Amino acid sequence: MAEAAASSPRRRLESIRRHLLPRPPPVLSLNPLSAAEAGPSPVIIGGMVLDIYAKPSVPPHPGTTVPGMVKYIGGGVARNIAECMAKLGARPLMISVVGNDIAGDFLLKYWRSAGLCTDGILRVHDAATPVVSNVFDGSGELFAGVASVGAVENFLTPSWINQFYLHISTAPLLMLDANLPPQSLQAACKIAYESGVPVLFEPVSVAKSSRIAPIAEYITCTSPNEMELIAMANTLSAPGRYNFVKLEQCNNKTEAVDYLFKMLSPAMFFLLEKGIKLLLVTLGSNGVFICCKEHVNFMKVVSLTGAGDCLVGGVLSSLCGGLDIMQSVAVGIAIAKASVESEANIPDNFCGASIADEARRTLLSAKQIWCQ
C-alpha cells in the first residue's frame, strides 16, 4: 500500500508523459537522497495568504461604497504553488504561518480538506493571518489594494525552519518565496545547499526580488517576470546597469518577442554567470523564456497569459515526477492557461489528463534560440 501511494506522482503524470515527445535529461538534478518514486516530499516555504477580491458592478468611487461582489480565496505565492503541485500528485510539505483568527481557520480548513499536511504551518495566537485585500475596477484591473503580511517576516524564523531540517535535507527540491525575511532565506538555503537539494527562488515582487542578494550562490532556478529580472540583476551588480523599456502597442507577436529577447538577454546572461542554472522568465501574453547554460543553451517562447504561480507549480511537480525541463514547462503553461478561466488562484478542476493535450501543443510550438 505504501509503495503504491509513493508512486502516485508518477502515475498522475503518465497521462501527460504519453502525450509529450522524448527530450534530453533535465537541466536540474534532483536531490539523489530523494527518489521521485519513493522519496520524501518537495518542500515549499513562504506565504499562506487570504486574498479578498472586491469586484464592483459599477465603477468604484472614492469615499463611498458601490454594489458588487466580494470573494475570499486562498492565496500567497508559496501556497498557490504548493496547491498546484498537490493537484498533480507531488504532495509538498508547506512551511508557513497563520494566525488564530477567521482567516487562519479558512486557510487551514481548505488545506486539510485537500488532504495536505499541516505539520509545517505554524499557528500563532497573537498574530494576524496574512491578508491581501484588492479592489478592482469595472474592467477587472486592480484599482486599490492593501497587504498585511507581517506574520511571514515575524514568525517564519530560522528557528522554525530548522525544525524541518530532515524534510529539507532529503527533499527532491526546495522552493522559497521572497516574502521570507533574509535570515530565514539564508537558513533554508544553507540546509539545502549542504544536502545537494536544488533551490528555486520565486521573487514575488520587484521590491522583494532584491532579497536574492545574500542567497544568489545557493539558487538553482528562479522565476521572475521582466521587471523582477532587471531588479535582481541590478541588485547583484552596479545599480542601474540593466534596464527594461516596454514596447508599446506592438501587435506582431514575433516582433514583440524579439524585442524582449534583445532587451532582457543581458540581464539573463548576467544571472547565469552568477551561478543560477535555470531562468524561467515569464512574459505575460508573450510567453516564457527558459534560459540555461548547462546541458542545453536555449530560449523557449510560447503563448501564455499570466498565472505565474500555476506555471511554477506545474514545472516543479513535473520535475518531481520525472519529466525533463522542456516537458515540465509545457505542463506548467498548460495549467497557467487553464487558470485564467478560473476565479480561484488555482483552477478547481484540473488533472494530468485534462491538460495533457495542451501541454503537447505547447511543447511542439516551442522555439529555440541557440546562443554563443
Side-chain angles (χ1 to χ4, degrees), residues 220-245:
T220 311
C221 172
T222 185
S223 51
N225 61 26
E226 305 102 310
M227 300 305 297
E228 292 163 350
L229 171 76
I230 297 299
M232 288 194 296
N234 283 327
T235 295
L236 298 173
S237 65
R241 178 179 175 184
Y242 301 97
N243 60 79
F244 174 70
V245 179

Side-chain angles (χ1 to χ4, degrees), residues 150-207:
V152 176
E153 296 210 13
N154 294 332
F155 295 100
L156 279 185
T157 61
S159 61
W160 177 248
I161 290 172
N162 286 334
Q163 293 187 41
F164 300 92
Y165 180 94
L166 181 61
H167 295 82
I168 297 171
S169 63
T170 58
L173 57 85
L174 168 69
M175 201 289 301
L176 305 167
D177 81 21
N179 287 307
L180 290 169
Q183 63 271 26
S184 297
L185 288 170
Q186 288 178 286
C189 281
K190 287 180 179 178
I191 295 173
Y193 182 78
E194 292 169 357
S195 306
V197 178
V199 177
L200 297 101
F201 176 74
E202 167 52 51
V204 175
S205 68
V206 171

Side-chain angles (χ1 to χ4, degrees), residues 33-197:
L33 296 179
S34 176
E37 294 201 40
S41 301
V43 176
I44 312 295
I45 310 179
M48 179 172 267
V49 179
L50 177 65
D51 284 344
I52 302 176
Y53 289 170
K55 297 182 178 181
S57 54
V58 298
H61 296 285
T64 186
T65 61
V66 295
M69 179 175 58
V70 176
K71 286 194 171 184
Y72 299 141
I73 298 173
V77 170
R79 193 218 68 89
N80 291 345
I81 292 171
E83 181 185 351
C84 182
M85 295 178 68
K87 288 187 173 182
L88 284 175
R91 316 303 295 174
L93 172 67
M94 177 82 188
I95 299 177
S96 192
V97 59
V98 297
N100 187 29
D101 51 21
I102 294 175
D105 291 340
F106 177 92
L107 293 170
L108 288 176
K109 181 179 179 180
Y110 180 87
W111 210 243
R112 293 189 182 106
S113 70
L116 298 172
C117 176
T118 61
D119 291 350
I121 301 174
L122 177 65
R123 189 147 206 197
V124 181
H125 289 271
D126 56 351
T129 295
V131 174
V132 176
S133 180
N134 292 319
V135 178
F136 298 89
D137 62 20
S139 65
E141 295 293 328
L142 182 64
F143 179 76
V146 176
S148 174
V149 295
V152 176
E153 296 210 13
N154 294 332
F155 295 100
L156 279 185
T157 61
S159 61
W160 177 248
I161 290 172
N162 286 334
Q163 293 187 41
F164 300 92
Y165 180 94
L166 181 61
H167 295 82
I168 297 171
S169 63
T170 58
L173 57 85
L174 168 69
M175 201 289 301
L176 305 167
D177 81 21
N179 287 307
L180 290 169
Q183 63 271 26
S184 297
L185 288 170
Q186 288 178 286
C189 281
K190 287 180 179 178
I191 295 173
Y193 182 78
E194 292 169 357
S195 306
V197 178

